Amino acid sequence: MRWVISIALSGLLLLGVLLVLSTVEASPNPATPTGSHSVTTSMFPVAAGWIAPGVGASPGRPMVDPRTGEVLVCRRGGTTVISGTEVTLVIPDYCVVDVDPQTGRRFAVAGTGIAVLSGEQVVLTVTFPYTVVTARYNPKNGLLYAVTSGPGYPPTYELAVVQGSTIVYTRSLGAYGERPEVHPDTGLTYVPGGSAVHVLSGTQLLASLPVSGPVLGVRFHPYNRLVYAWGGDLAGQVAAISGTVILGTVPVTSPVDLAPDPNRDRVYLTMISGGLVVLSRTTPVTTISTPGGINQVDVVPSSGEVVIAVPQANAVYLFPPSLTTSTTITTAVPPFTLRAHPSGRVYVVERGTSSLPTLSTGLLILSGTTPLARLPSGYGLGPVAVWPDTGVAYALDTLSGTLYLLSGTQVLTQVNLQPWMVSSVVPRPESMALDPGTGMVYVGHRGANLLWVISGTEVQTISLSGLDTYPIVSVLTADPDHGVVYAGLSASRMLIISRTEVLTSVQWSMGYPESLSAIAVDPRRGWLYGLGEAYSIAVLSITTPITQTFWVTSLSCGNATFALTAQPFNGLAYAGCGEFPSKQGIVQILNGPSVVVTMPISGYAKALAVDPNTGWVYGALSGARSAVVFSGTTMYTVPLPFDPDRAWFNPLDGMGYVAGGSQVAVLDGPRLRYILRVGIYPDSMAFDPARERAYLTHYGDNRVVIFGRLPYAVYLPLVLRTQRSR
């Protein structure tokens, strides 16, 4: 097997683009820290790569950039950009919904805002009162037509027209709103809303045309220059519109999707009940038998072939222009939607239409009936750890059970852990730890009654059968001071492991059986802490070397638990807990089996990390858009422009890192130094002291960001993929 690295340079970004300097003060005013401040040089991202890049979680319908020919796929947390059959860019935060064909500017939505992008850089933002659903840019008049969704059930939709950065016109659309369409000749904008299509010239409403509702969509026909609208439930309708006049309508049953034929005066319509309806303007030509379901349809411009995604059949149906016999292409995952490209390629998003979350996704790229490539899910990269002796980093793909061995941005090899189970009920079932003394990597999974132990590329397993009623590993933590690894099992049990030997098994509670979600150790004082997944904190006493381990007590910590860490500097342990349904977060500070203080906080402390040199403890306050910093029992809060859920301490620069969404806040104690924009959903961080670099993995887009000491950082987006030798 050989490894290929494809380098896609979108331009050199100076440091000022990569980070946002901040003068935010902590609250209360920062005091002198218990230890000394960091004096090392700060670290910044110096390189980034994607491992097995793909379409991401919850991918939507692809769109084609009219200037570049790139295919853009909105996904959870951002947009994937594909050129041909390769992922060239993943834009975090923003879902691109339209492109200016003249300038190439991209219009992207994120929450209650729309951003104008140049590449992936934001050049302008517009904020709306409510969540932005979609938008359409009109190059004839330079206006942007945005559809927003207000609170309540069912939600209320509104049209907002933007000129520059100003909202100049609004109109209620009622309980339904879909993407507007622009007529390229007249410049008229057609906006579906409820049981009508509103026709606007600029901001002037010319007409509201009745169509069976709710109107599901409007689409311009490039051959006959008409605009088609379709909608309704069982008694559905297709309407052909010219200007502000409905030229004709045709009744249909439960319409789903409509595609115009760019080469002739035809449109194709799919129905939930099954069948492909062929119309000439509004005159029925024929109906082709196809399976029922939420079937999306499109027409290949260069060949006139009609393609239909049929999720119930796990297949794509390809019809020639004559519509005689179809060819069936089976998909690995039910096809969700598709888009035909001017080049003749067809991009099929695999996702399925089940109401349950579908973890596995993909993008099948076809040329006629020939599959050119299939891009994988492209998300799920989770825990990362570095063995200091070799500098090799181990990064785990939590969806496939693939363990990647990295050196910087170079993938050395990969190890497949089997059997690996993906669950939509427990989407993050994995745990991982590296013993720095032996270099052994331990991986646990809640769906397997075994523990994988990896040494280099050699995989061994430790059977957990007979150790518990339902023996699964819920958490792993390495203890380099004692040369062991702790594994939390179900039914309130903990294993202590050396290499591949289970030294002992400790029962830490006699009450309600509870799995552990976090383990922390204070080797200097001999305390071992375990955070139960429901409400408990277990306190155990350990000896050096470990010959005996005793359960001392279990303490109550609210009725929800999130994070745990132990601070060797002062001998305190910190647990992030909470109360439901009051939504009150707390941090409980312990000294061995004693509760020192219970401190109420805003939000929940979802992650905690310690600086053992100064005594600072850093935390991510999820739901409060803040970081929390402790010095002993003194608490400081630092406001952030994002909602965090991860926290680490970087021993290489002495800073605390608090992350969430696509941003990382870097703190020196309670002082916010700067904010970095990284990838989608930062997940795990590991440090290589000998080589002065840190690895940051991203669950949302399989991105690995390398931190180094370059004073002016340059991103080199590297796409890492395997290619078997021929």
Side-chain angles (χ1 to χ4, degrees):
M1 179 183 293
R2 63 189 180 88
W3 294 88
V4 179
I5 301 180
S6 298
I7 301 180
L9 268 176
S10 59
L12 301 181
L13 305 181
L14 292 179
L15 180 63
V17 177
L18 288 174
L19 51 90
V20 178
L21 296 176
S22 177
T23 58
V24 174
E25 292 292 335
S27 174
N29 292 328
T32 302
T34 311
S36 61
H37 273 295
S38 167
V39 294
T40 58
T41 306
S42 297
M43 301 183 73
F44 300 108
V46 296
W50 293 280
I51 296 178
V55 291
S58 303
R61 189 161 199 170
M63 66 171 294
V64 179
D65 187 319
R67 280 174 60 91
T68 65
E70 293 173 312
V71 175
L72 312 175
V73 182
C74 283
R75 54 189 282 171
R76 186 179 301 163
T79 301
T80 299
V81 182
I82 301 134
S83 179
T85 60
E86 300 285 339
V87 173
T88 56
L89 182 66
V90 179
I91 303 172
D93 293 326
Y94 298 103
C95 169
V96 177
V97 293
D98 207 359
V99 179
D100 183 346
Q102 298 170 355
T103 65
R105 294 179 303 168
R106 291 169 174 171
F107 301 91
V109 304
T112 59
I114 289 183
V116 180
L117 306 179
S118 175
E120 64 173 320
Q121 299 305 308
V122 177
V123 297
L124 178 70
T125 59
V126 182
T127 303
F128 298 81
Y130 304 120
T131 301
V132 182
V133 177
T134 187
R136 188 77 162 87
Y137 178 71
N138 190 329
K140 284 283 189 177
N141 55 30
L143 299 178
L144 182 67
Y145 296 79
V147 177
T148 65
S149 172
Y153 184 82
T156 55
Y157 291 85
E158 185 176 83
L159 171 69
V161 182
V162 180
Q163 184 175 36
S165 60
T166 305
I167 299 173
V168 296
Y169 174 85
T170 60
R171 180 178 180 82
S172 175
L173 299 177
Y176 298 94
E178 295 291 340
R179 186 173 189 262
E181 179 65 294
V182 173
H183 197 293
D185 303 333
T186 66
L188 296 179
T189 304
Y190 297 81
V191 183
S195 298
V197 174
H198 306 288
V199 186
L200 289 90
S201 176
T203 58
Q204 181 183 2
L205 179 66
L206 302 182
S208 293
L209 306 177
V211 178
S212 294
V215 179
L216 301 176
V218 286
R219 195 162 178 185
F220 169 72
H221 198 306
Y223 185 86
N224 62 28
R225 320 306 284 179
L226 301 179
V227 172
Y228 282 81
W230 68 99
D233 296 320
L234 291 177
Q237 187 182 64
V238 175
I241 304 169
S242 176
T244 59
V245 178
I246 295 179
L247 297 183
T249 63
V250 59
V252 292
T253 303
S254 58
V256 175
D257 192 29
L258 180 144
D261 188 331
N263 304 306
R264 52 182 173 171
D265 199 354
R266 282 189 175 184
V267 293
Y268 304 94
L269 180 86
T270 57
M271 301 181 293
I272 292 179
S273 55
L276 177 69
V277 177
V278 184
L279 304 174
S280 177
R281 298 212 169 201
T282 55
T283 301
V285 176
T286 186
T287 299
I288 306 298
S289 177
T290 61
I294 310 297
N295 302 337
Q296 305 290 317
V297 61
D298 209 356
V299 180
V300 181
S302 58
S303 65
E305 294 169 308
V306 180
V307 284
I308 307 173
V310 185
Q312 289 189 1
N314 259 46
V316 174
Y317 285 33
L318 179 68
F319 289 90
S322 62
L323 302 176
T324 49
T325 57
S326 66
T327 301
T328 302
I329 300 107
T330 302
T331 57
V333 177
F336 177 71
T337 187
L338 48 72
R339 179 69 71 195
H341 192 275
S343 66
R345 294 185 295 269
V346 177
Y347 293 80
V348 182
V349 170
E350 298 177 356
R351 171 181 160 185
T353 57
S354 170
S355 58
L356 295 175
T358 304
L359 293 180
S360 182
T361 63
L363 185 70
L364 178 63
I365 305 172
L366 303 172
S367 177
T369 59
T370 304
L372 298 178
R374 184 184 183 274
L375 301 180
S377 298
Y379 75 104
L381 195 65
V384 63
V386 177
W387 190 20
D389 288 14
T390 62
V392 173
Y394 296 80
L396 179 65
D397 184 329
T398 65
L399 297 188
S400 66
T402 303
L403 188 66
Y404 293 95
L405 280 66
L406 311 174
S407 177
T409 56
Q410 181 184 4
V411 178
L412 303 176
T413 187
Q414 67 185 54
V415 176
N416 295 315
L417 307 179
Q418 297 299 328
W420 192 268
M421 182 184 70
V422 178
S423 170
S424 60
V425 180
V426 186
R428 296 300 306 274
E430 83 292 333
S431 53
M432 189 174 91
L434 183 145
D435 183 348
T438 63
M440 289 181 170
V441 179
Y442 298 78
V443 177
H445 192 286
R446 296 179 191 235
N449 61 350
L450 55 83
L451 185 65
W452 290 276
V453 184
I454 301 95
S455 179
T457 58
E458 180 187 357
V459 180
Q460 303 178 66
T461 59
I462 299 175
S463 175
L464 305 178
S465 298
L467 295 176
D468 208 338
T469 306
Y470 184 51
I472 57 171
V473 173
S474 58
V475 62
L476 289 162
T477 299
D479 181 356
D481 293 275
H482 292 94
V484 298
V485 170
Y486 304 106
L489 294 188
S490 55
S492 306
R493 187 175 295 275
M494 183 189 299
L495 301 182
I496 302 178
I497 302 169
S498 175
R499 294 184 175 269
T500 57
E501 178 188 358
V502 177
L503 300 181
T504 186
S505 172
V506 183
Q507 187 80 26
W508 59 267
S509 174
M510 297 303 174
Y512 180 80
E514 190 177 358
S515 298
L516 292 176
S517 61
I519 297 173
V521 61
D522 182 351
R524 192 177 306 172
R525 296 161 184 86
W527 294 120
L528 181 63
Y529 302 90
L531 188 67
E533 291 190 324
Y535 58 86
S536 299
I537 303 174
V539 183
L540 300 95
S541 174
I542 55 177
T543 60
T544 303
I546 291 187
T547 55
Q548 290 181 310
T549 302
F550 302 99
W551 169 56
V552 178
T553 188
S554 292
L555 305 169
S556 177
C557 191
N559 55 18
T561 58
F562 303 106
L564 176 71
T565 191
Q567 175 57 279
F569 184 87
N570 53 25
L572 300 179
Y574 299 77
C577 307
E579 295 283 354
F580 288 121
S582 63
K583 298 184 179 180
Q584 175 63 61
I586 59 174
V587 171
Q588 198 165 87
I589 302 178
L590 311 175
N591 187 343
S594 303
V595 176
V596 177
V597 65
T598 298
M599 307 185 72
I601 56 173
S602 298
Y604 297 115
K606 289 291 184 71
L608 294 164
V610 302
D611 177 352
N613 303 311
T614 66
W616 294 122
V617 177
Y618 299 93
L621 296 186
S622 181
R625 297 174 70 88
S626 299
V628 64
V629 182
F630 290 94
S631 176
T633 58
T634 302
M635 180 176 70
Y636 309 95
T637 57
V638 183
L640 300 175
F642 62 91
D643 198 38
D645 58 5
R646 295 288 189 273
W648 310 278
F649 169 69
N650 185 346
L652 304 182
D653 62 8
M655 303 290 179
Y657 287 54
V658 177
S662 65
Q663 299 181 72
V664 176
V666 180
L667 298 102
D668 185 1
R671 296 167 175 81
L672 178 59
R673 294 285 295 270
Y674 45 82
I675 293 173
L676 299 169
R677 184 167 181 248
V678 286
I680 302 175
Y681 307 149
D683 189 86
S684 183
M685 203 166 190
F687 308 96
D688 183 358
R691 294 149 196 87
E692 292 196 314
R693 61 189 176 194
Y695 294 79
L696 176 63
T697 59
H698 295 74
Y699 185 85
D701 61 5
N702 280 9
R703 187 185 314 230
V704 179
V705 173
I706 308 296
F707 285 73
R709 294 196 186 279
L710 292 182
Y712 289 95
V714 176
Y715 264 121
L716 300 179
L718 305 177
V719 179
L720 312 180
R721 68 188 190 277
T722 61
Q723 187 178 65
R724 297 187 182 278
S725 57
R726 298 175 181 175

